[in-house]
Amino acid sequence: MHQKPSFADWTAIVEGTVAHSEHYGTLRLRVTSDFPEVQPGQFVMIETGRGLDPYLRRAFSVATLSREENSVLLGILIKAVGRGTRNLMDAHPGERVRIMGPLGHGFNNSPAEPEILVAGGVGVAPLLMLATTLADQGKPFDFYYGGRSRNDLPRLTDVRALTEEAGGRLVVTTEDGTEGIQGLVTAPLLANLEKGDKGRIYTCGPNGLMKALATLAEQFGLSGEAALETDMGCGFGACLGCVVQQVDGTYALCCKNGPVFRFEEIQW
Amino acid sequence: MVKKPNLSVDLGRLKLDNPLLTASGTFGYGLEFAHLARLNRLGGIVTKGLSTLPIAGNPPPRISETRGGMLNSIGLQNIGVETFLADVLPGLKNFSAKVIVNLFGYTPEEYCALASRLDEVSGVDAVEVNVSCPNVKRGGLQFGQDPEMLYQLIRQIRQTTSKPMIVKLSPNVTSPVPLAQAAESAGADMISAINTVLGMSIDTETFRPRLATTMGGLSGPAIRPIAVRVVYQVAQAVSIPVIGIGGIETAQDVLEFLLAGASAVQVGTALFRNPRTPETILLDLESYLARKNIAHLSDLVGQLKLWEDKE
């Protein structure tokens, strides 16, 4: 029941927000240098207002982490979907926000297998961190990145650079065809798997995408992990609000047992 | 030399170092958050509600944020009393916070079995009887809404345990007074109020309720005025100590409850935003007492002055 505690509550200072498009931006937060290492797939709970509305913090994957001389700079990819996320997109440099983390369990990347990263829209955030880690380790990976349209592919430039650095293949899709291949991101992946591609799959994106990938993985005998998202009350295991149903019929906490789960654990 | 203000609380057979407890369902069993919040700064911890056997809880979605609060229908998910006693309680004994075990059942027999199980356990400083959780479709809901049923239940539980017993009241009743009086007559040592307020929210895109169970319990600052009102009504009607619960975020909120008649309080939903909330409140309470030159926090209990009262 008790995992080794490795998270805390931090006061971060806003460096600024880099806008990628109308709805996406990267919030840059500076914290003290004792901020722990973040496993790709882990997340933080960020307060999005000073008062009582919005009331709860919001959960975000850590997309980038840069350890500097006396501080740590975190990059948080934000999609402005509501008041909380809009507040963060509009945060001014110098503002202070409290963030709790790093929370949860991240991806368990397997040294032996080739790796296939599949991102849907803002789900690219934890996979950006994973790609950075793999590139640093000199491990090749293929990256499949899909979105509704070209404006739903935030940080595509960084994904492209990392994939090239790792010597892997980048496949980009948009449903409306405004970037890359038209259609869903699962289509080119399926085609490549049928041609004999193998690898361990890591994904984050809409539930429909992750469920489809779990099915594909099972079909081709591949292993894989998904970084799930749920509404969260606290993010650290106190409220029991974020449960996901497992195949064995029990509930797991997305914040504490996840957010990364193996494909075969989840009742999709 | 200025004497440090006294924050200790005398609840009869339960004594607290300070009036701040954590509310059931908001801090697990306390131990797992010992690194996030200094447990020695708490007057006490009220555990997640325990049942005889573990309970899995309701299907998701279980929570929904509201303006100034949240709805929940967790469904009493808990590890069961045996796992708590074996795996958690030993660790809790290392902290100065009092341990109050919240318990519930679906029949009087279940409540009594739990109370009896805990009666001989050292390290359990009190029990809090949950008769008011609105998330369960049977059992508990009825006891807390009917004074006669509540009286019978508490009387039975009273016979199985000599631990200090708190009865936690529901706000989802026409008046809390008959229920508070029934609990007191039946032998409760303290009343805590309130549990969550029955509420509902609907997603206008999907047309579905935001909670899988349709209705759930509202908590947070939004309910504080209801909680203060119930504490006031109950404190006027009983002689036993009252513990106030409902939307506490700040020292000022705590003081409201004390003035209304509560001797101690529980902080709940606020912990989701900031687990250190009780520690901040304590510092602010100490400052307040120093500023107002009040020696003992408990001097403020029930000091509400109605408009018709003389100065």
Side-chain angles (χ1 to χ4, degrees), chain B residues 105-108 111 130-131 133 136-144 149:
Chain B
Y106 295 104
T107 63
Y111 280 95
N130 176 5
V131 300
C133 186
V136 176
K137 291 180 163 76
R138 54 192 178 90
L141 184 59
Q142 313 154 14
F143 296 112
M149 279 174 108

Side-chain angles (χ1 to χ4, degrees), chain B residues 128-269:
Chain B
E128 182 183 64
V129 182
N130 176 5
V131 300
S132 54
C133 186
N135 294 321
V136 176
K137 291 180 163 76
R138 54 192 178 90
L141 184 59
Q142 313 154 14
F143 296 112
Q145 297 204 313
D146 183 291
E148 181 55 34
M149 279 174 108
L150 182 63
Y151 174 82
Q152 294 300 337
L153 174 70
I154 301 304
R155 217 165 64 94
Q156 283 179 262
I157 299 175
R158 180 76 283 172
Q159 277 154 21
T160 65
T161 181
S162 55
K163 295 279 189 194
M165 177 189 357
I166 307 166
V167 174
K168 184 171 181 179
L169 295 184
S170 161
N172 305 312
V173 294
T174 309
S175 168
V177 169
L179 293 154
Q181 289 172 330
E184 181 183 39
S185 304
D189 297 296
M190 293 156 269
I191 303 280
S192 60
I194 50 174
N195 206 318
T196 52
V197 180
L198 192 61
M200 184 171 168
S201 175
I202 302 170
D203 185 326
T204 55
E205 293 297 316
T206 62
F207 293 10
R208 290 189 190 277
R210 291 189 189 274
L211 299 176
T213 56
T214 305
M215 294 185 243
L218 180 67
S219 66
I223 71 168
R224 199 176 70 247
I226 298 173
V228 170
R229 183 265 300 173
V230 171
V231 162
Y232 170 69
Q233 290 177 304
V234 168
Q236 293 291 304
V238 301
S239 319
I240 53 179
V242 179
I243 300 170
I245 322 166
I248 293 174
E249 299 265 336
T250 65
Q252 193 172 342
D253 300 336
V254 174
L255 292 164
E256 256 197 288
F257 279 96
L258 297 183
L259 293 172
S263 303
V265 298
Q266 295 179 15
V267 178
T269 311

Side-chain angles (χ1 to χ4, degrees), chain A residues 86-133:
Chain A
R86 184 43 70 186
N87 284 349
L88 289 180
M89 285 277 266
D90 296 342
H92 298 307
E95 271 183 45
R96 291 174 136 70
V97 286
R98 259 206 316 252
I99 77 173
M100 188 180 309
L103 295 162
H105 292 290
F107 293 110
N108 189 11
N109 58 333
S110 161
E113 302 181 62
E115 274 143 346
I116 302 171
L117 278 55
V118 185
V122 73
V124 74
L127 296 170
L128 189 57
M129 176 150 257
L130 180 59
T132 307
T133 304

Side-chain angles (χ1 to χ4, degrees), chain B residues 13 81 85 103 112-125 127 157-164:
Chain B
R13 292 197 297 130
V81 67
L85 292 175
L103 61 90
C112 291
L114 269 170
S116 164
R117 179 73 181 89
L118 295 165
D119 187 43
E120 296 287 305
V121 177
S122 77
V124 174
D125 297 299
V127 296
I157 299 175
R158 180 76 283 172
Q159 277 154 21
T160 65
T161 181
S162 55
K163 295 279 189 194

Side-chain angles (χ1 to χ4, degrees), chain A residues 4 110 115 179 254:
Chain A
K4 191 164 174 226
S110 161
E115 274 143 346
E179 185 82 34
C254 190

Side-chain angles (χ1 to χ4, degrees), chain B residues 29-80:
Chain B
Y29 311 96
L31 191 61
E32 63 268 44
F33 306 120
H35 71 289
L36 255 192
R38 282 175 290 177
L39 299 187
N40 286 334
R41 288 291 276 159
L42 296 171
I45 295 162
V46 183
T47 68
K48 174 77 191 189
L50 289 172
S51 44
T52 309
L53 294 176
I55 285 179
N58 286 329
R62 290 178 171 184
I63 56 172
S64 177
E65 185 185 68
T66 61
R67 286 281 158 92
M70 62 181 279
L71 283 166
N72 92 76
S73 61
I74 305 299
L76 298 170
Q77 175 177 336
N78 76 94
I79 56 178

Side-chain angles (χ1 to χ4, degrees), chain A residues 47-263:
Chain A
E47 64 175 11
T48 64
R50 199 140 295 140
L52 297 177
D53 186 35
Y55 186 68
L56 299 169
R57 301 196 195 194
R58 302 293 191 258
F60 300 94
S61 301
V62 179
T64 61
L65 184 152
S66 147
R67 210 162 275 279
E68 310 193 346
E69 201 176 309
N70 288 316
S71 63
V72 167
L73 190 62
L74 301 172
I76 307 290
L77 183 61
I78 312 261
K79 181 178 183 185
V81 295
R83 284 169 308 127
T85 43
R86 184 43 70 186
N87 284 349
L88 289 180
M89 285 277 266
D90 296 342
H92 298 307
E95 271 183 45
R96 291 174 136 70
V97 286
R98 259 206 316 252
I99 77 173
M100 188 180 309
L103 295 162
H105 292 290
F107 293 110
N108 189 11
N109 58 333
S110 161
E113 302 181 62
E115 274 143 346
I116 302 171
L117 278 55
V118 185
V122 73
V124 74
L127 296 170
L128 189 57
M129 176 150 257
L130 180 59
T132 307
T133 304
L134 294 174
D136 283 349
Q137 293 170 354
K139 286 163 66 172
F141 56 85
D142 287 341
F143 204 117
Y144 292 76
Y145 191 2
R148 287 234 169 85
S149 88
R150 65 199 313 250
N151 284 331
D152 295 297
L153 300 169
R155 309 297 295 259
L156 176 58
T157 314
D158 295 306
V159 170
R160 178 169 282 124
L162 284 165
T163 313
E164 272 172 25
E165 185 186 329
R169 179 179 40 188
L170 172 66
V171 176
V172 176
T173 66
T174 47
E175 288 177 44
D176 65 2
T178 50
E179 185 82 34
I181 306 166
Q182 179 164 9
L184 296 179
V185 72
T186 41
L189 175 61
L190 172 60
N192 287 334
L193 292 177
E194 280 173 340
K195 284 188 215 153
D197 276 13
K198 291 210 184 308
R200 183 166 162 80
I201 300 175
Y202 302 88
T203 183
C204 183
N207 275 347
L209 167 64
M210 298 195 289
K211 180 175 178 174
L213 289 170
T215 307
L216 272 183
E218 197 183 357
Q219 199 182 322
F220 286 90
L222 304 174
S223 66
E225 291 183 318
L228 300 187
E229 180 185 30
T230 62
D231 280 350
M232 288 189 180
C234 63
F236 58 90
C239 74
L240 306 184
C242 65
V243 293
V244 294
Q245 179 126 51
Q246 300 200 277
V247 159
D248 65 6
T250 63
Y251 291 125
L253 292 179
C254 190
C255 69
K256 196 163 150 177
N257 306 120
V260 175
F261 290 93
R262 294 194 313 275
F263 283 159

